[in-house]
């Protein structure tokens, strides 16, 4: 699979390294030439190509060869850039799957299909949810919206004396409502 990652910071490089180890073909796009040189030294994989370009410009994306990508990952440290990259990936290059990093959880509402985003990943929201989990036993914690907001991944924390815990019930034995499957 061909995957393009916009942003050559620590997040983009970590994603590129992990995906290259799974034999995907990766293109990392970075606008800072010093960072491009460091990434090229750091990642010694035939599966990773690093391009010096501005991922917010259509001409730069075309020159980097993103038109044949299966997935675009907007992983810069700037939410505005990630939105622009996502929108260009979908509207100008018809990339089938667009994943975007959300740096500021207050901007999370923008990362939707209108901006070309299939999956928005907000580390601040995930960490907040994990803290909520520790604090609020018996609560439902929203972890992430998926499928353009049509589904939600939630976590339910139960008291240790809840009937399903005491009876050691398997998930398929719990009679969940249809909307929870």
């Amino acid at each position: 699979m061909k995957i393009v990652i916009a942003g050559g910071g620590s997040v983009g490089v970590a994603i590129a390294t992990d995906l290259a180890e799974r034999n995907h073909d990766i293109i990392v796009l970075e606008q800072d030439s010093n960072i491009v040189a460091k990434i090229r030294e750091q990642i010694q994989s035939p599966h990773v190509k690093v391009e010096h370009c501005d991922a917010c410009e259509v001409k730069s994306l075309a020159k980097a060869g993103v038109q044949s990508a299966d997935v675009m990952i907007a992983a810069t440290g700037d939410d505005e850039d990630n939105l622009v990259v996502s929108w260009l990936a979908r509207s100008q290059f018809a990339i089938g799957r667009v994943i975007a990093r959300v740096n500021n959880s207050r901007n999370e509402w923008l990362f939707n299909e209108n901006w070309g985003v299939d999956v928005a990943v907000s580390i601040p929201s995930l960490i907040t949810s994990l803290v909520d989990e520790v604090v609020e036993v018996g609560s439902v914690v929203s972890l992430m919206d998926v499928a353009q907001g049509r589904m939600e991944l939630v976590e339910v924390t139960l008291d240790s004396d809840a009937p399903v815990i005491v009876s050691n019930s398997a998930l398929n034995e719990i009679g969940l409502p249809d909307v929870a499957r």
Side-chain angles (χ1 to χ4, degrees), residues 50-106:
V50 183
E51 293 288 338
H52 178 228
C53 73
D54 184 348
C56 291
E57 295 181 359
V58 175
K59 287 182 182 178
S60 294
L61 292 172
K63 185 177 176 184
V66 305
Q67 56 273 16
S68 61
D70 300 298
V71 177
M72 169 65 82
I73 301 172
T76 76
D78 185 88
D79 286 346
E80 292 84 0
D81 286 351
N82 289 341
L83 284 171
V84 170
V85 168
S86 298
W87 184 78
L88 290 174
R90 181 57 49 80
S91 67
Q92 300 298 307
F93 297 98
I95 295 176
R97 184 87 165 146
V98 179
I99 302 167
R101 172 185 176 189
V102 181
N103 297 284
N104 183 336
S105 57
R106 285 177 265 176

Side-chain angles (χ1 to χ4, degrees), residues 23-78:
N23 295 318
H24 295 291
D25 293 318
I26 311 299
I27 300 174
V28 177
L29 308 177
E30 174 57 48
Q31 65 181 4
D32 184 323
S33 59
N34 294 323
I35 294 174
V36 168
K38 287 179 186 176
I39 297 169
R40 287 178 177 157
E41 288 177 22
Q42 183 180 353
I43 302 177
Q44 299 292 319
S45 169
H47 295 287
V48 179
K49 181 177 164 186
V50 183
E51 293 288 338
H52 178 228
C53 73
D54 184 348
C56 291
E57 295 181 359
V58 175
K59 287 182 182 178
S60 294
L61 292 172
K63 185 177 176 184
V66 305
Q67 56 273 16
S68 61
D70 300 298
V71 177
M72 169 65 82
I73 301 172
T76 76
D78 185 88

Side-chain angles (χ1 to χ4, degrees), residues 82-137:
N82 289 341
L83 284 171
V84 170
V85 168
S86 298
W87 184 78
L88 290 174
R90 181 57 49 80
S91 67
Q92 300 298 307
F93 297 98
I95 295 176
R97 184 87 165 146
V98 179
I99 302 167
R101 172 185 176 189
V102 181
N103 297 284
N104 183 336
S105 57
R106 285 177 265 176
N107 296 332
E108 197 168 351
W109 66 276
L110 286 165
F111 287 76
N112 58 39
E113 62 189 25
N114 293 330
W115 282 96
V117 177
D118 294 307
V119 178
V121 180
S122 173
I123 299 304
S125 291
L126 289 173
I127 291 172
T128 301
S129 294
L130 292 171
V131 170
D132 286 344
E133 171 190 332
V134 173
V135 174
E136 300 179 22
V137 172

